[in-house]
Amino acid sequence: MTERVSVFSAVALCDADKARIEKNFGKKHSGNVTFSYTVDASLLGGLLIIDGNDYYDCTVAGRLAKVKRTLQ
């Protein structure tokens, strides 16, 4: 079964960054993994990685939203 990992970033990632992501997430899965990369400037910076049901939000926009929720 092929697993899908979606990577969103504010700017295009270089090949070295993509290789590092693929190496780290490839270790997590025993089968084939396909990666998709999408540029989304609204993230402001950082990465958003969706791996099946796991959601890794390390974006500036995500951090700002967390601060906003905390202050309300």
Side-chain angles (χ1 to χ4, degrees):
M1 181 160 117
T2 301
E3 300 290 333
R4 181 176 178 85
V5 176
S6 299
V7 181
F8 300 86
S9 60
V11 297
L13 299 176
C14 68
D15 290 339
D17 290 336
K18 289 179 182 180
R20 191 172 321 122
I21 291 167
E22 291 172 11
K23 178 181 176 185
N24 287 328
F25 281 88
K27 291 178 185 176
K28 184 177 174 184
H29 301 283
S30 59
N32 293 331
V33 182
T34 59
F35 292 87
S36 67
Y37 295 92
T38 304
V39 174
D40 181 355
S42 71
L43 299 176
L44 304 175
L47 295 174
L48 170 63
I49 301 174
I50 301 173
D51 178 10
N53 292 329
D54 295 329
Y55 188 86
Y56 305 94
D57 186 355
C58 302
T59 63
V60 174
R63 291 178 186 165
L64 290 172
K66 183 177 180 181
V67 168
K68 182 179 177 181
R69 285 190 307 270
T70 303
L71 295 175
Q72 290 180 342

